[in-house]
Amino acid sequence: MIFAYNPKYVSDTLMVVTADDKSMKQTVERRENVARLKTEDGRVIGWNFFEISKAMTIEGTGQVQINDAQLAQLNEMIQKAGFEDILEKDDSPKFVVGFVKTCVPHEDSDHLSVTEIEVDNGEVLQIVCGAANIRKGLKVVVAKPGAMMPDGLLIWPGELRGVESYGMVCSAKELNIANASMKRGILELPQDAVVGSAFAVGQ
């Protein structure tokens, strides 16, 4: 679940993304200051909470963190508006240090690689990567499904040239790291970086 807030460009609205819309048409049902977004097949994919500053103080812009008390308040707003849904927060980090366990050429591409990358809690994700410097044994930064990149891009499971991919291996520029090198390719972390640890991303 992704919480996003940018009053300068999107008005005083807290946006909550709960699932990928898979490019389907969306319907919006608004009641009071709460709007529910659904796909044409009936899946709830997000919520908009308008004039949110009247209800709570949101710290930061872009992807923001919501504490348990604020989550309870959002659920109360949903209930008062007459919706029956409940928001459930996932506090697990979405940007983590990963270890490239395997890396093989994509069978249908001359520049893509198919990797298996260990992330947090021993989980191993298959990720298709286009960086020339990706290779077995690297420590890298992985944006897991449900991450929002600093430029607003949302990361969801997908498919590249017929191969499933569950995240993205990131470059320093994509992570908005201060004074990031303009060198092409993914960010290579020191070998003493702890696999599964959260990685702080710039806004």
Side-chain angles (χ1 to χ4, degrees):
M1 185 180 303
I2 297 170
F3 297 89
Y5 182 63
N6 196 329
K8 183 176 180 180
Y9 296 105
V10 192
S11 77
D12 184 22
T13 301
L14 177 66
M15 295 175 290
V16 183
V17 183
T18 58
D20 185 5
D21 64 8
K22 299 186 183 299
S23 299
M24 291 184 176
K25 292 181 180 179
Q26 300 178 12
T27 61
V28 179
E29 182 179 2
R30 178 170 177 171
R31 302 177 186 175
E32 301 178 4
N33 276 340
V34 180
R36 181 176 63 186
L37 287 70
K38 300 175 72 173
T39 57
E40 56 189 346
D41 64 356
R43 292 184 303 114
V44 177
I45 56 171
W47 298 84
N48 288 334
F49 296 88
F50 303 100
E51 299 181 359
I52 191 63
S53 64
K54 293 181 178 179
M56 65 182 69
T57 299
I58 305 295
E59 299 290 343
T61 59
Q63 185 170 11
V64 296
Q65 300 299 315
I66 298 296
N67 61 38
D68 291 343
Q70 290 172 322
L71 182 67
Q73 195 170 356
L74 293 175
N75 278 324
E76 183 178 349
M77 293 171 66
I78 288 173
Q79 299 299 311
K80 285 184 176 180
F83 296 107
E84 297 179 354
D85 309 77
I86 295 177
L87 296 177
E88 297 181 356
K89 186 159 60 86
D90 176 9
D91 286 323
S92 64
K94 298 305 178 186
F95 293 90
V96 299
V97 175
F99 175 70
V100 183
K101 296 171 67 72
T102 67
C103 180
V104 298
H106 191 297
E107 293 183 354
D108 190 32
S109 171
D110 61 0
H111 71 283
L112 296 176
S113 298
V114 181
T115 67
E116 291 180 320
I117 302 181
E118 182 180 349
V119 289
D120 48 328
N121 300 314
E123 182 182 14
V124 177
L125 299 176
Q126 176 173 283
I127 299 177
V128 179
C129 179
N133 62 325
I134 186 72
R135 60 188 182 276
K136 179 180 177 180
L138 277 185
K139 297 282 183 70
V140 296
V141 179
V142 174
K144 298 173 60 178
M148 175 185 278
M149 301 300 293
D151 65 359
L153 175 69
L154 303 180
I155 305 301
W156 300 111
E159 188 176 286
L160 288 172
R161 297 285 185 90
V163 176
E164 293 182 338
S165 184
Y166 297 91
M168 186 174 81
V169 186
C170 305
S171 70
K173 184 177 180 181
E174 289 167 334
L175 294 168
N176 201 24
I177 295 175
N179 302 313
S181 171
M182 297 305 293
K183 181 180 177 182
R184 295 175 63 86
I186 56 171
L187 177 63
E188 299 185 25
L189 298 177
Q191 281 302 305
D192 61 358
V194 179
V195 174
S197 60
F199 188 89
V201 176
Q203 295 295 334

